[in-house]
Amino acid sequence: MIIKADLHIHTCLSPCGSLEMSPSAIAAELKKKGIDAAAIADHNSTLNCPAFADACKKEGIWGMFGIEVTSMEEAHILCIFETQEAALDFGEFIYKNLPDIPNNPEKFGDQIYVDCEENIVGEVEKYLGNATLLSIDEIRDEALSRSALFIPAHVDKPLFSIPSQLGFLPDDKYTSIEVFNPSSSSDYDSKYSVITSSDAHFIDDIGKKYFTVDITEKSFLSLALALREKGNLIK
């Protein structure tokens, strides 16, 4: 079974995300673009995961629940969970390890979470764009203890990637590697599987980048096993 997947989408909860990026609007756009499986991955929070779960069920999308964590080294890491409960639990852990610096909506952008009907449920007080107090290793251990997919984000970018911050990509228990530019995949696919995703902050960008993967069945375990195989999954 070959599926198209986009595992890096920001909602209106990310301060850099458009307010049009509600979970329901994202799910509708995924269906329109023919994306089979997707995950939202807001900066340092998972509070829009319940609405995304409802929206994906409505649109027939295989929804997964992620977060883009910023480590203390200022590297971005995707952690993707099978259930919203696991994602919310991890999100609470991450939020506790964010500096107590309040968001300034006029300067950085709004940080709102909503329900499936796009009603505002709440607004996050701490600024989500900050680095957490957690190292890459600590984030990895907490994510893997919850059976998450652990994926270094956009490793070919000159800012906010593990290689840009450390100077190299250490060997580690990565589920896969995400690249921003598909031409960079050959730098990594001899050791890991390589994916790309839209990293969408605006509706029109959803599904512009995706990867395909052949799984034996529609299950999180099957996807995780497929992503742990070496090779280029970008089509």
Side-chain angles (χ1 to χ4, degrees):
M1 177 192 306
I2 297 176
I3 63 169
K4 294 181 180 179
D6 184 348
L7 300 183
H8 190 169
I9 301 172
H10 292 269
T11 78
C12 51
L13 176 56
S14 289
C16 48
S18 167
L19 289 178
E20 295 180 349
M21 292 288 277
S22 69
S24 59
I26 290 169
E29 190 69 11
L30 288 165
K31 182 177 181 179
K32 177 182 174 182
K33 298 284 182 63
I35 303 296
D36 305 298
I40 55 172
D42 285 306
H43 291 292
N44 294 320
S45 181
T46 58
L47 288 174
N48 260 340
C49 288
F52 188 62
D54 292 340
C56 286
K57 184 177 180 180
K58 178 181 176 182
E59 298 292 350
I61 301 295
W62 181 9
M64 286 166 274
F65 310 97
I67 182 171
E68 185 174 23
V69 185
T70 305
S71 72
M72 67 191 313
E73 299 91 348
E74 297 194 335
H76 288 182
I77 303 160
L78 297 174
C79 302
I80 312 294
F81 300 85
E82 180 177 11
T83 68
Q84 58 174 309
E85 291 81 10
L88 289 170
D89 178 68
F90 186 74
E92 287 184 11
F93 168 75
I94 295 299
Y95 193 73
K96 288 176 182 177
N97 285 280
L98 267 178
D100 286 319
I101 298 173
N103 184 41
N104 182 339
E106 293 184 0
K107 183 176 182 180
F108 299 118
D110 295 298
Q111 299 181 156
I112 60 172
Y113 53 104
V114 300
D115 62 21
C116 193
E117 303 301 322
E118 301 186 337
N119 299 304
I120 295 176
V121 175
E123 186 169 358
V124 175
E125 294 182 1
K126 291 183 186 179
Y127 175 49
L128 296 175
N130 277 320
T132 66
L133 306 176
L134 300 163
S135 69
I136 295 169
D137 290 347
E138 289 172 318
I139 294 165
R140 175 202 62 214
D141 291 346
E142 288 289 336
L144 294 182
S145 74
R146 295 169 173 82
S147 301
L149 308 181
F150 180 69
I151 304 172
H154 42 65
V155 295
D156 51 339
K157 279 191 173 183
L159 293 172
F160 302 121
S161 67
I162 292 179
S164 74
Q165 301 311 108
L166 300 185
F168 68 107
L169 182 69
D171 288 336
D172 209 332
K173 298 175 182 178
Y174 310 125
T175 309
S176 185
I177 303 294
E178 182 197 56
V179 297
F180 179 75
N181 187 339
S183 65
S184 302
S185 62
S186 60
D187 295 337
Y188 303 97
D189 61 12
S190 63
K191 286 189 175 182
Y192 307 100
S193 70
V194 181
I195 66 171
T196 193
S197 289
S198 65
D199 194 5
H201 292 70
F202 301 91
I203 288 290
D204 288 346
D205 292 332
I206 293 171
K208 282 188 175 179
K209 291 182 180 179
Y210 61 86
F211 66 95
T212 62
V213 59
D214 192 357
I215 56 177
T216 57
E217 61 180 2
K218 188 178 175 182
S219 72
F220 192 77
L221 177 59
S222 180
L223 176 63
L225 291 173
L227 288 179
R228 289 191 177 98
E229 296 293 328
K230 298 175 184 178
N232 181 2
L233 298 177
I234 304 169
K235 303 298 181 183

